[in-house]
Amino acid sequence: MLPHSLALIAILAGPTEPVSAPIANIQYDITFNRETAARRRLAVEMRFDVTGKGDVILSLPAWTPGAYEMTWFARWVSDFQATAGDTPLRWDKLDYDTWRIRPAGAKQVKVSFQFQADSLDNAMAWTASDFAFFNGTNVLLYPEGRNLDFGAMVRVNTERDWKVATGMHGSVESGYREKNFHDLVDMPFFVGQFDYDSMSVDGLNVRLATYPADKLAGPTRANFWSQYRRLFAPQAAVFGETPYDSYTTLIVFSDSYGGGSALEHQNSHLGIYTAQGIGQDWIASVTSHEMFHAFNVKRMRPAEMVPYRYDDPQPTPWLWVSEGITDYYADIAMVRGGVIDSAGFLQSVSQNMQNVEQTPPVAL
Ligand SMILES: [Zn+2]
């Protein structure tokens, strides 16, 4: 039995959080092809070197920043395996989304699992017979209790005649690479058959990927491009610089999806819209909103969310700044870019005010 004073210290300190053995040379492989599409799955592999003693403890994020809800992506994981060469390694679960692997002296370990990708939600992963989108938060494991400033390679294995679009730096051939886990999980992917084109806007590589193919096509695509490209200069002028070196807009149109929803990232966003919205200005307005988030809530954000942690909520009273000011400048950029006129701006702002006034206040 502990003396009282020591017992008190033990209670105050609480249970210690697990710390993984150090790992390095991390590479993630995501496979999506006609075969995995038929089962609506992504096949995920993670390879790494074990560079210290102890168990390797890996977790999947519980949420995607920007989508302020806890989801626990481990719920969509099956067929989890850990191997060293041909030798299976023992593992168990420490909590909902944490796996403890016993390397048993192995220096190189491979972890693999299947991810059920059937959630039409921009914070999650979804597939069709010829297409998938996914977020890094869904499928990229990180070592528990370790610094998240580790670089890693992401390879996407897919059909030769399918495409890949993402804000992540790299290519299908060479692989994609980012310098820390925060960036790795902040750049969602499109894989499969979809429309994909790009344009240089003020020297910036600007991309547009839309699914299904031929849905945003011809004059409606040209019209969207003319709205989209005109948003960059007025947004950059607010801050005098851009926080990205390329920008990628990823859009899924769905007949079954009511309305629209989009999720911001540092150099891209993923929108899911009803196909009935094609040709309507509100999609340009949502696009402008998500683009402005690259400045406000990604580069500059409430202190409570710096750095992001992926296993717990990070509540903040400042989302009205992150969302409200973003919404205001989204429509300001629309006027300054000549996408809408001042009457259109006033109509949009008064509609927003009405929506806020009609929404009952809720406690978060
Ligand atoms: Zn927003």
Side-chain angles (χ1 to χ4, degrees):
M1 188 176 166
L2 290 169
H4 285 307
S5 56
L6 280 182
L8 183 63
I9 290 167
I11 289 165
L12 288 176
T16 50
E17 299 209 359
V19 176
S20 174
I23 62 174
N25 291 329
I26 299 171
Q27 180 180 321
Y28 302 98
D29 279 82
I30 317 293
T31 299
F32 178 72
N33 51 34
R34 290 184 172 87
E35 189 222 322
T36 64
R39 291 176 292 135
R40 304 203 72 184
R41 285 179 171 192
L42 307 171
V44 183
E45 293 181 347
M46 177 192 189
R47 290 177 175 76
F48 52 85
D49 297 342
V50 182
T51 56
K53 291 198 185 320
D55 299 328
V56 173
I57 300 170
L58 302 174
S59 289
L60 265 188
W63 70 299
T64 303
Y68 301 102
E69 58 184 353
M70 302 305 285
T71 309
W72 293 283
F73 301 114
R75 293 159 62 198
W76 285 266
V77 170
S78 62
D79 299 335
F80 188 94
Q81 294 177 33
T83 52
D86 294 331
T87 310
L89 299 177
R90 285 197 303 130
W91 60 267
D92 59 0
K93 293 282 292 282
L94 290 186
D95 61 31
Y96 295 134
D97 43 32
T98 303
W99 288 261
R100 175 173 56 185
I101 298 154
R102 318 276 189 180
K107 295 289 176 232
Q108 292 176 322
V109 170
K110 182 179 90 172
V111 165
S112 61
F113 61 88
Q114 302 283 312
F115 192 87
Q116 191 72 40
D118 56 2
S119 306
L120 188 57
D121 179 321
N122 47 36
M124 298 183 64
W126 181 80
T127 56
S129 60
D130 58 351
F131 173 78
F133 73 72
F134 63 88
N135 286 271
T137 45
N138 310 149
V139 291
L140 304 185
L141 291 156
Y142 64 92
E144 269 293 338
R146 292 273 162 194
N147 194 318
L148 295 180
D149 286 336
F150 61 85
M153 169 84 85
V154 177
R155 287 190 178 275
V156 176
N157 308 302
T158 189
E159 304 288 350
R160 292 181 75 86
D161 58 334
W162 286 8
K163 300 170 198 167
V164 177
T166 177
M168 201 174 283
H169 295 90
S171 65
V172 185
E173 295 76 24
S174 65
Y176 298 86
R177 174 169 279 281
E178 291 297 332
K179 61 186 181 310
N180 62 62
F181 188 73
H182 302 296
D183 293 346
L184 286 160
V185 296
D186 193 38
M187 299 177 183
F189 280 80
F190 268 20
V191 183
Q193 292 179 316
F194 52 89
D195 290 330
Y196 189 30
D197 47 10
S198 64
M199 183 183 282
S200 177
V201 178
D202 303 327
L204 195 72
N205 185 13
V206 173
R207 309 176 187 123
L208 173 64
T210 59
Y211 178 84
D214 298 326
K215 200 75 173 175
L216 186 69
T220 52
R221 191 175 191 86
N223 183 53
F224 181 78
W225 260 113
S226 89
Q227 296 177 317
Y228 176 34
R229 68 180 171 75
R230 281 187 277 170
L231 299 169
F232 286 90
Q235 292 201 357
V238 175
F239 289 93
E241 58 180 325
T242 47
Y244 36 68
D245 56 15
S246 71
Y247 194 86
T248 305
T249 290
L250 307 163
I251 300 178
V252 171
F253 291 107
S254 168
D255 294 321
S256 64
Y257 200 80
S261 169
L263 185 59
E264 71 275 7
H265 300 283
Q266 61 188 275
N267 65 1
S268 67
H269 71 270
L270 170 49
I272 305 173
Y273 308 124
T274 170
Q276 286 148 17
I278 290 173
Q280 295 184 20
D281 284 347
W282 64 262
I283 291 187
S285 177
V286 176
T287 300
S288 187
H289 176 106
E290 304 308 333
M291 287 167 58
F292 199 80
H293 268 318
F295 301 85
N296 186 30
V297 93
K298 295 311 297 189
R299 189 184 65 172
M300 179 176 73
R301 64 178 182 270
E304 291 87 349
M305 292 194 287
V306 180
Y308 287 125
R309 59 178 301 167
Y310 299 93
D311 58 344
D312 254 334
Q314 293 181 296
T316 170
W318 292 102
L319 283 185
W320 68 273
V321 170
S322 302
E323 293 300 333
I325 292 177
T326 293
D327 224 36
Y328 173 74
Y329 274 105
D331 284 341
I332 286 282
M334 295 268 282
V335 189
R336 291 179 180 166
V339 177
I340 55 174
D341 58 18
S342 55
F345 171 78
L346 290 173
Q347 194 182 5
S348 176
V349 170
S350 55
Q351 181 68 53
N352 286 347
M353 288 169 70
Q354 245 177 44
N355 290 347
V356 170
E357 278 169 5
Q358 287 168 3
T359 304
V362 291
L364 289 176

